[in-house]
Amino acid sequence: MATITQLSETVSSQSIHNDSSSGKFVPEALVDKLQKGGVNPDRIWRHGERPNIALWVTKDHRIYQEEIPYPVCGPNNCIVHVRATGICGSEIHFWKTGRIGDCMVDHDLILGHESAGEILEVGANVTNFKRGDRVSIEPGVTCWECKQCLSGRYNLCPDVKFSGTPPSHGTMARYISHPARFLHRIPDAMSYAHGALVEPLSVAVGAIGRCQPKLGQPVLVCGAGPIGLAVAIAARAAGAHPVLITDLEESRLTQANQLGFNLTLKIDLTWDRFETVKRIRDVFGSECRPELAFECTGAQSSIVSAFYALVEGGTLVQIGHGKPEIELPVMAMTFREVNVINSFRYKQTWPTVIRLLNDNILAEATKLITHTFPLEQTIDAFQTCVTRDSKSIKVQIVDN
């Protein structure tokens, strides 16, 4: 069961720079926890205007909130007051199972990677931001020295430090320090909530970029969660038509309908792949079969069904993360020349997504936000994500 550490209600009236005069030391146990995730705090506890509450997950599947010191602003970093953070399915995986593939939680970890906020301080070497700038946070901090980074595929950097993914601490705190290179200014008219949507939309736009749909190309999207719906919105904006969305939950398909997707199919787990494929093709109609399939669940049965539903020579884009090892019909894929493309996170998507959101090209995506909680109620927000009756899509934590 989730536990909450009691938080100090004292709000410092001193400035951040002078608050160290209190002489309070950061407990060694907390220093150790922070350092394991790549955060090196001052040994003297520094405070912001309010307690720097963070959401932690443990390797034994607990989540808790605990106050941490105000962060140190390195010369190439900015201090950001995180104003909005979305909860991703990956965070639920780390909480409930302790891993995604080979990536495991082996120490107390601060979660979070879908965030936007306000810059409070800039490092000595930072010239393109100032205090008060509003930014969306790109969570993957890469080395910019390896072959992948230099070739433009920095999403594949082997030394990436990705916020909220073991071993790196994330953005689910009130104040964080983040490299200025991975901050992106958002328009004044864009809310922080929408700025936090740039990350999941980047996953969708990154997947679209991997396969480049053609105008009028039939598309199947497996999974009507936040990423599946974001992919469907992005595919439609790219010209795909028709777009069919499948899911196990009727409530999620209803939400897809409300986003303007009229072709949906509720999957029954008692169906074998032949029945599933027949049902998918029946919805498309006899004159139309999917040429692209975006698989957003990671479930083996969904991947296999998507493959068989495709037209010969079609393309399966794998986005969802499931078990570390999955069986696939490789020979059948070969005989039918089905292309398989894996899409991992994103690269160079932030400016594009911010522009598409601001210009209302992806306006429907803002409807993905179904629940909002204050930072102090982050644990309640996580419980909402895993409560089926809540019918949540994107749950966000905000700090006004």
Side-chain angles (χ1 to χ4, degrees), residues 190-203:
M190 182 178 292
S191 69
Y192 290 116
H194 295 171
L197 279 178
V198 175
E199 198 280 340
L201 285 172
S202 282
V203 174

Side-chain angles (χ1 to χ4, degrees), residues 288-348:
C288 181
R289 286 170 62 184
E291 297 175 11
L292 278 176
F294 294 92
E295 206 296 311
C296 304
T297 74
Q300 178 173 304
S301 59
S302 178
I303 297 170
V304 172
S305 295
F307 155 68
Y308 278 107
L310 282 166
V311 68
E312 286 75 7
T315 298
L316 172 64
V317 184
Q318 184 59 40
I319 305 170
H321 298 159
K323 295 179 180 179
E325 296 183 5
I326 290 176
E327 294 182 3
L328 297 176
V330 176
M331 284 296 94
M333 288 180 171
T334 301
F335 295 157
R336 301 180 68 237
E337 287 195 353
V338 169
N339 305 296
V340 180
I341 296 175
N342 296 298
S343 184
F344 183 59
R345 293 176 181 158
Y346 31 69
K347 58 183 186 297
Q348 301 167 348

Side-chain angles (χ1 to χ4, degrees), residues 175-193:
Y175 309 114
I176 67 166
S177 178
H178 199 77
R181 179 189 288 269
F182 295 95
L183 297 175
H184 302 267
R185 192 175 284 103
I186 60 175
D188 291 341
M190 182 178 292
S191 69
Y192 290 116

Side-chain angles (χ1 to χ4, degrees), residues 71-79 121-126 177-180:
V72 175
C73 186
N76 299 310
N77 283 24
C78 293
I79 301 297
E121 295 183 41
V122 297
N125 296 337
V126 177
S177 178
H178 199 77

Side-chain angles (χ1 to χ4, degrees), residues 3 6 45 84 110 117 126 162-163 192 211 214 235 248 277 308 318 332 360 369 375 378:
T3 59
Q6 293 296 317
W45 193 298
I110 299 173
V126 177
F162 196 89
S163 299
Y192 290 116
C211 61
K214 301 180 182 67
L248 299 173
V277 170
Y308 278 107
Q318 184 59 40
N360 293 319
I369 303 170
L375 178 62
T378 300

Side-chain angles (χ1 to χ4, degrees), residues 157-316:
C157 174
D159 295 320
V160 64
K161 295 176 176 61
F162 196 89
S163 299
T165 296
S168 302
H169 288 316
T171 61
M172 212 165 277
R174 177 165 279 134
Y175 309 114
I176 67 166
S177 178
H178 199 77
R181 179 189 288 269
F182 295 95
L183 297 175
H184 302 267
R185 192 175 284 103
I186 60 175
D188 291 341
M190 182 178 292
S191 69
Y192 290 116
H194 295 171
L197 279 178
V198 175
E199 198 280 340
L201 285 172
S202 282
V203 174
V205 170
I208 295 298
R210 291 282 287 153
C211 61
Q212 299 178 343
K214 301 180 182 67
L215 183 65
Q217 192 168 29
V219 165
L220 168 66
V221 177
C222 301
I227 295 300
L229 293 176
V231 167
I233 291 168
R236 181 170 62 187
H241 180 80
V243 177
L244 167 63
I245 304 175
T246 66
D247 201 272
L248 299 173
E249 298 287 340
E250 190 65 53
S251 61
R252 291 195 164 188
L253 296 177
T254 298
Q255 288 165 322
N257 295 149
Q258 293 170 351
L259 291 170
F261 294 98
N262 299 320
L263 297 186
T264 58
L265 176 65
K266 184 178 183 297
I267 300 296
D268 189 327
L269 290 179
T270 64
W271 298 344
D272 61 17
R273 67 170 176 83
F274 300 104
E275 181 64 21
T276 303
V277 170
K278 178 182 181 302
R279 300 286 185 121
I280 289 172
R281 291 184 175 177
D282 284 347
V283 175
F284 272 107
S286 59
E287 302 300 320
C288 181
R289 286 170 62 184
E291 297 175 11
L292 278 176
F294 294 92
E295 206 296 311
C296 304
T297 74
Q300 178 173 304
S301 59
S302 178
I303 297 170
V304 172
S305 295
F307 155 68
Y308 278 107
L310 282 166
V311 68
E312 286 75 7
T315 298
L316 172 64

